[in-house]
Amino acid sequence: MDNEYKVSIVVPVYNAAKYIGRCIESILNQTYTNIELIIVNDGSKDNSLQIIEAYAKKDNRIKCINRENSGVSATRNVGINNATGKYIMFVDADDTINKDTVKDNVKYIVDNSADIVICGFYYHVTDEKITKENPIEESFTGSTEEFARLWYTKLLKAEIINPPWNKLIRLDIIRKNSIFFDERYSICEDMAFSIDVIRHSEKVVLNSKIYYNYFVKSTGSLVFKFYDNYFEALSNYYKKSLAFCNMHTENESNLKEVDTVYANLTIMYIKLICNNKAFTYKEKKSRMKNIFENKNFIKAMNNGNLNKKKKLIRLFINNRWYGIINLFYKLR
């Protein structure tokens, strides 16, 4: 099995000149050598493209694709469409993978005749110079139904389900089921993609070892920045997540956890709306009203397990106390 199967590794790049060399080196230095590295430059304005092209001249496993800026979802989809491996994985341009990442996970997926392998990752908080482990508690091999019942909501809460980059996937699962990143969104699109892949898999493997190095500037970076269509993207993901759970399990506690994640993330977004200095109060109220009229959100919020502060916000939301919500967040 050693190097028998080609693995396609897709790296979307936008203005990543500071980091892309480090990322490429970590991929080229894999102990598993049968790889193709598909780097898609999404109209970078720095010298990312020149760095990528210099590496491509030295290693014929690199395929460099240059395109006009279209966003991360479209960029990853270009990578999928150009992949020729049996398996595919994703790496972000400012991150790295450990040298045995491909070798170990190919062995897991082949030995277990699986469709997807999922592993944990490290948070490297660069401003604070600390590293936090985000592991999977133990290894697991089983059907998608078993995974949904035993593991899905645990990994959802731990943010291990969310990204595409801590997974090795059979490419034909993606191709046969026309699974792509939703190009309408640049946020939550990875969560929806991951759920679609898992839903169409028959066998899932969890690898308890950590391989992926996810770099963030500060702990505040773990929270999202403001996106106009964040709520729409999050609601799209929520529907997929809920449908996946309903398909495979009748466990009410699992459904409650999905509601909790959706409610918590939406309330965090409401806070961002209130703290956005570019919005007038009228604009903030209009945006909140759009969210509060969403029946799925109200149901999830009232069903979810919220902490004391969010329970207070829930009271304000149910009574449509827009001014109090705005003041509550302005004072914090």
Side-chain angles (χ1 to χ4, degrees), residues 6 8 36 79-88 90 109 115 168-177:
K6 185 194 287 186
S8 301
E36 65 173 1
I80 290 171
N81 285 327
N82 283 273
T84 62
K86 182 174 177 67
Y87 303 105
I88 189 169
F90 300 88
I109 205 167
D115 302 308
L168 179 71
I169 306 162
R170 266 183 50 206
L171 183 57
D172 64 350
I173 292 290
I174 293 171
R175 292 262 168 83
K176 283 192 299 187
N177 297 287

Side-chain angles (χ1 to χ4, degrees), residues 251-261 300 302-305:
N251 189 328
E252 285 297 323
S253 65
N254 281 355
L255 298 176
K256 184 179 283 288
E257 289 297 344
V258 174
D259 283 343
T260 300
V261 170
N302 288 320
N303 187 49
N305 294 313

Side-chain angles (χ1 to χ4, degrees), residues 89-100:
M89 58 186 293
F90 300 88
V91 178
D92 281 355
D94 51 352
D95 297 335
T96 64
I97 54 176
N98 296 348
K99 63 186 178 74
D100 291 326

Side-chain angles (χ1 to χ4, degrees), residues 108-109 112 114-119 140-142 203-207:
Y108 262 93
I109 205 167
N112 292 286
D115 302 308
I116 182 171
V117 180
I118 306 171
C119 59
F140 160 86
T141 302
K203 198 170 187 182
V204 178
V205 171
L206 303 181
N207 183 349

Side-chain angles (χ1 to χ4, degrees), residues 13 39-45 48-50 52-53 63-69 75 78:
V13 176
I39 309 177
V40 187
N41 180 54
D42 190 32
S44 294
K45 294 178 173 62
S48 294
L49 180 60
Q50 289 88 337
I52 298 163
E53 288 176 337
K63 182 187 293 184
C64 176
I65 301 171
N66 188 39
R67 65 198 307 272
E68 292 183 6
N69 182 257
T75 304
V78 169

Side-chain angles (χ1 to χ4, degrees), residues 1-6 30-35 102 106:
M1 188 210 76
D2 202 26
N3 285 304
E4 182 179 352
Y5 303 105
K6 185 194 287 186
Q30 289 295 297
T31 52
Y32 191 96
T33 58
N34 189 6
I35 63 172
V102 179
V106 167

